[in-house]
Amino acid sequence: MPLKKLSPSNTSSVEAVKGTEAVEAVVASDKKANDGLQAKINGLPLDDIPQDFYIHPEALNVVLDSFEGPMDLLLYLVRRDNMDVMQLNLQRLTEQYLQYIELMESLQIEVAGQYMVMAATLAEYKSRRLLPQIMTEEDEEDPTEELTRKLKEYEKIKQIATELDGMPREEREFFVATASLPTLPAREVPPSENKILLFKMAKRVLVKIDKLTQYHTKGELLPLNECISNIMSRLEVSQKNFVLFEDICDPRYGRHGVVMTVLALLDLLHKDVIELVQTALYGAIRIRHNQNIKPL
Amino acid sequence: MNIKELVNILEAALLSAGRPLHVSEMYKLFEEDEKPEVGAIEKALKTLEDNCTDRAMELNQVASGYRLQVRPLLASRVMRLKNRRTRSISAAVLETITLIAYRQPITRADIEAVRGVPVSHYTMEVLQDKNWVRVVGHKEVAGRPALYGTTDNFLDYFSLKGLEDLPQ
């Protein structure tokens, strides 16, 4: 479940006691030590989270954004305090991060495992700085630098992702123009050479697969897209410019895998991306890029 | 075959193909004895583009080839007829595809290292359903993890000709 983000608080007193404002009061009291501001409810100072305090997790969904992960949270903390990413105060950042995690837990919001991993990592960074500098064999990066580098990298990715989201795209800024074809008279088309070869290959492999599957396990289902992807990448990586059906068929998926591979090959044949070649009678059938189309 | 016929044939092909077409594929529209000479198709495409100036669609070139598209100015109006709002792409999917696009080939572990969260099965499923990612190879380390890269389909979706057209 994504971690919830609290809206930045700049209030020092809270009048109404509604779920979200009460939470703001808690955050304000968070900063009490730093700002000298005191949170108040109905005129009385608020120091601790009330014992019977409960916000249904769903209620927070409406008001709050959610973080993508611990990196996102860290970035938020850095920005909230106007810390310069280049001049991180690891100590302060770690404290705030841990406080935040504690806050989430006290509000009974489940914190996903990766946030704990980050908390542990930050604690480890802190400890590294406390220990005397031991010359290790590996060149260990300074923790602050390492964190800064990671944060900068993540920040950049987030920025570009947002830019990408803003770019014109299909089904939003533009639509693809299509026109339907008139109904054409049905033509008897004999199966192409390619398809005949394909079914010959499939038959051979089906027989072999049955022999290989000695034990009955519940096979995983192989999605068509993945199958097509696999075939194309095998072709690209292959040094001989062709692959054999036996190479691309994974016995793990058994008969289902063979069927999916046949479907994938049919799809690629249909798009004229590949062709099948058999050089000798009863010889191996090779799958290769369609030679008729000039690769672009 | 005169230029007008050629332009018509190309327009028909582009409208009915259901996907962008490369010039080399357009040659397949013709029998041996009527194949257009070198450069004729490109000229015809230019004519088609000019013909569309006052029309609702425009000719655009994307990674997978040429495609006819509804002009962006009219898109919002057309959207009114669409029943469901196009679901926006989640931040997780966006960040993941951004990483793959800029750092390809890249493994799942590398993606996780930058984002700090594991690549969810759902995210990869979405990306594969949209046909935006593909396996380009395997990293020669223990476990031989898959290396991912983007497809031309991904570029087509954002109306880009190549990876260099992505934002910096």
Side-chain angles (χ1 to χ4, degrees), chain A residues 20-34:
Chain A
T20 51
E21 274 120 322
V23 166
E24 275 184 58
V26 173
V27 175
S29 74
D30 216 57
K31 298 169 72 177
K32 186 173 52 151
N34 309 326

Side-chain angles (χ1 to χ4, degrees), chain A residues 186-197 199:
Chain A
R187 266 198 321 163
E188 181 68 36
V189 182
S192 69
E193 181 64 34
N194 277 323
K195 292 206 182 111
I196 297 175
L197 283 176
F199 291 119

